[in-house]
Amino acid sequence: MTSPLMQIEDLSISFKIDDEWCRAVNGISFDIMPNETLCIVGESGCGKSITAMSLMKLLPDSAKLGGSVMFGERNMLSLSERELEDVRGSRIAMIFQEPMTSLNPVLTVGEQIAEPLVLHKGMSWSAARREARNLLDLVRIPDAQKRLGQYPHELSGGMRQRVMIAIGLACRPEILIADEPTTALDVTIQAQVLALLEDIRKEQGLSIVMITHDLGVVANVADRVAVMYAGEMVETGPVEAIFDAPSHPYTQALLRTVPRADAAFELSPISGQVPPIQAMPDGCRFSPRCAEEHRACRVTPKLSPGPHSVACWAREGAA
Amino acid sequence: MARYIIQRLLSTIPTLFGILTIVFVMIRIAPGDPALAILGDNASQEALNAFRERMGLNDPMIVQYWDFLKGLFSGSLGTSMVTGTPVTESIGEVLPFTLELAFGAIFFGVIIGVPLGIISALWRNGWLDYFFRVVSLLGLSFPAFLTAILLILWLSIEWRIFPVISTPTSGGLWDRIYNLILPALSLGLIMVAYIMRSARSAMLDVLGEDYIRTARAKGAPGRRLIWHHALRNALIPIVTVVGLYFGLLIGNAVLTEIIFNRPGLGKLIVLSLNQRDYTTLQGLMVVSALMIVIVNLLTDICYALVDPRVKLK
């Protein structure tokens, strides 16, 4: 059994809202294994994006972090800003949802790709620019030489996301965090970008943490899936297990919200709404919307051990 | 680029034409008689009449206007009613002083205002931020002449660093600069307040942008984030403010030039006003308007230099 690249233990993220600390992420634990694609899924506001940001400690100072994010021997959450700068962009890289606004409008594409190489590998700008050219080839941007001198506004959305990927891959990181990388793109471009990420992962043997709310994306690329609801992790497991035998009532309900082609299938939205962060119910946070009931629902359930684990009292011993 | 500049300059002709007409009319409907002002109360009626005749003041206004325009198209602004020297000559003599004063003021405004704005933005709502914001408010509320007098009291009389009267004597470059520092600083302090405020808010906007997060995710250190990634973007609104307040600067330069006893357009304006020197006044207005137009053009060119999304067409 290979050891995990990164171990997230009891991670919690709190923000101050109206003078009160609210836990947006409530003690979640998961591992990132070498050379895998881990998808973190959940509806908007479930805390998946801030979870991703906290892996590199990119959240603003106003966020209070608890637990640990072990990367090798080091806990990312207790590193100084100086030490974090060494890790960010070199060993862990991140690409974001909005390719339109995530690139600096006044710097050339070449400079933005070359920057991490200069910062981390000590390359000269001219050497880094040559490497940037290769990276553009890697992300399959045609006419790379010309693109280097262009500005982001001269590129299409899909191109820009490829440039973001090139920036992320520049220093050959061990982990690439992709926060909804395809949400802002056209469907055809989405497929291309996902295929590109998958190919690169296989070629370079890195791990990808993909944050998404799109179960179609998950089915396409994931090796493992972690399902989040209201700041908690409710189920994790291999992608086949999650899709074929979803265990947690929320995962089951989530899968029923995806349209399918067979006539017999009927879409059923999840009833109710995610409770506001200031008024989370005690115990299982899904219980107010859950069809099933267990006498222990008022107590927070823990993820069961094993490769396919679930945090639900009604499934205790079943998964 | 050259094509753009020529187009822009040509397109300002109607604007200039309008300004000229308004100035021409306003000077003539203002109370006061140049002949009387120049020749004195004791001048005989014949002398006054002769003067008016010579200067074309007896002609109908439309004829005077036509003569004025004719002169303008041949590159002449006429001759001074008082001294008889060509107006272009007397303006040309003092124009460099006002230009160096204005650009010196912008220089001080930018090198003081931009860093203060950045510091304020970085320590948003900290005591330093409040302190700078109060100081900039004071700077805005202080009349320019008061700041100038305080600076003279403090830096010239108390500490004896700079001359009280900033009239450049020898033609040496160092002498020019030395005599420029205090007036430019006092005029620049007005700019500081405006620039600081716009730098602060521009910086706050930019620091919240997604691409700053991207730069952090790359591992760019804080210094580089601010000076390389953020400032370049924040410069765009700052350039606007500098261009916009250039007109204000020219207006305030009048006071500064008088207080520091420097030659310049401002001093010439006041002098010609007192003497009812119509022709010189007209010429001064033409030059001031032209300066504003050119600064607007320079501002637009600066946009294109700072922001690659702006294309000069």
Side-chain angles (χ1 to χ4, degrees), chain A residues 15-314:
Chain A
F15 292 96
K16 208 167 199 169
I17 299 172
D18 296 334
D19 267 352
E20 213 169 309
W21 286 101
C22 297
R23 281 200 165 195
V25 169
N26 191 21
I28 62 171
S29 305
F30 60 100
D31 293 342
I32 299 167
M33 306 301 289
N35 202 8
E36 73 163 354
T37 300
L38 170 70
C39 277
I40 302 181
V41 278
E43 51 199 302
S44 11
C46 74
K48 54 192 192 301
S49 280
I50 53 172
T51 301
M53 303 249 278
S54 68
L55 301 185
M56 281 168 92
K57 218 183 163 196
L58 269 181
L59 289 169
D61 293 337
S62 57
K64 198 168 76 179
L65 297 162
S68 67
V69 175
M70 298 303 294
F71 182 49
E73 295 296 301
R74 299 197 285 183
N75 180 2
M76 293 291 288
L77 301 189
S78 56
L79 294 187
S80 69
E81 197 60 24
R82 180 76 200 75
E83 292 168 310
L84 284 166
E85 281 160 14
D86 284 340
V87 181
R88 288 179 189 149
S90 74
R91 299 185 62 197
I92 310 176
M94 187 158 181
I95 57 181
F96 299 94
Q97 183 172 357
E98 279 295 335
M100 307 316 254
T101 53
S102 292
L103 290 169
N104 195 325
V106 302
L107 303 178
T108 61
V109 166
E111 181 179 350
Q112 299 194 55
I113 301 175
E115 187 176 21
L117 292 165
V118 174
L119 288 172
H120 298 295
K121 303 274 176 193
M123 277 190 194
S124 69
W125 277 102
S126 56
R129 247 179 101 87
R130 277 195 297 278
E131 179 61 24
R133 214 207 100 102
N134 297 335
L135 285 158
L136 284 179
D137 287 336
L138 178 74
V139 296
R140 298 173 203 156
I141 290 186
D143 226 348
Q145 193 59 40
K146 185 178 129 207
R147 299 290 178 199
L148 285 180
Q150 288 188 319
Y151 290 93
H153 72 275
E154 296 170 279
L155 306 182
S156 67
M159 286 283 202
R160 290 187 216 185
Q161 198 56 294
R162 285 166 198 264
V163 170
M164 282 298 292
I165 295 172
I167 293 172
L169 293 174
C171 295
R172 307 211 160 227
E174 290 147 71
I175 301 176
L176 179 70
I177 303 166
D179 185 3
E180 309 231 13
T182 57
T183 306
L185 304 176
D186 289 345
V187 184
T188 46
I189 310 292
Q190 276 188 17
Q192 290 173 13
V193 169
L194 288 176
L196 172 71
L197 280 173
E198 199 48 23
D199 289 351
I200 288 169
R201 185 185 65 77
K202 283 183 189 137
E203 267 168 46
Q204 309 208 342
L206 76 161
S207 295
I208 295 180
V209 180
M210 177 96 68
I211 312 296
T212 182
H213 65 264
D214 186 340
L215 289 166
V217 170
V218 179
N220 263 319
V221 299
D223 295 315
R224 277 195 315 130
V225 182
V227 183
M228 280 185 80
Y229 177 78
E232 288 178 343
M233 206 151 263
V234 295
E235 186 166 0
T236 66
V239 63
E240 305 82 18
I242 298 287
F243 276 88
D244 297 342
S247 179
H248 194 279
Y250 175 67
T251 316
Q252 292 171 347
L254 198 63
L255 285 170
R256 279 196 298 273
T257 63
V258 183
R260 273 194 286 173
D262 34 324
F265 182 79
E266 210 173 307
L267 268 186
S268 52
I270 306 174
S271 63
Q273 279 181 341
V274 183
I277 183 176
Q278 299 98 318
M280 282 294 170
D282 290 335
C284 173
R285 288 182 167 187
F286 188 61
S287 55
R289 301 172 73 184
C290 189
E292 296 176 53
E293 222 174 306
H294 190 272
R295 60 191 154 73
C297 285
R298 299 294 296 276
V299 182
T300 306
K302 287 258 173 278
L303 275 174
S304 60
H308 183 186
S309 56
V310 57
C312 177
W313 293 112

Side-chain angles (χ1 to χ4, degrees), chain B residues 158-181:
Chain B
E158 193 71 30
W159 290 1
R160 296 175 185 278
I161 306 175
F162 294 108
V164 177
I165 293 174
S166 307
T167 320
T169 42
S170 77
L173 181 68
W174 167 240
D175 182 64
R176 279 292 268 271
I177 294 173
Y178 180 60
N179 279 295
L180 179 64
I181 293 175

Side-chain angles (χ1 to χ4, degrees), chain A residues 101-102 104 111 115 120, chain B residues 210 214 218 224 228-229 233:
Chain A
T101 53
S102 292
N104 195 325
E111 181 179 350
E115 187 176 21
H120 298 295
Chain B
D210 287 347
T214 306
K218 282 182 190 176
R224 195 173 160 77
H228 196 72
H229 288 275
N233 285 285

Side-chain angles (χ1 to χ4, degrees), chain B residues 121 199-212 237:
Chain B
R200 178 180 182 274
S201 70
M203 209 59 188
L204 281 177
D205 280 349
V206 170
L207 286 175
E209 291 284 352
D210 287 347
Y211 51 79
I212 296 299

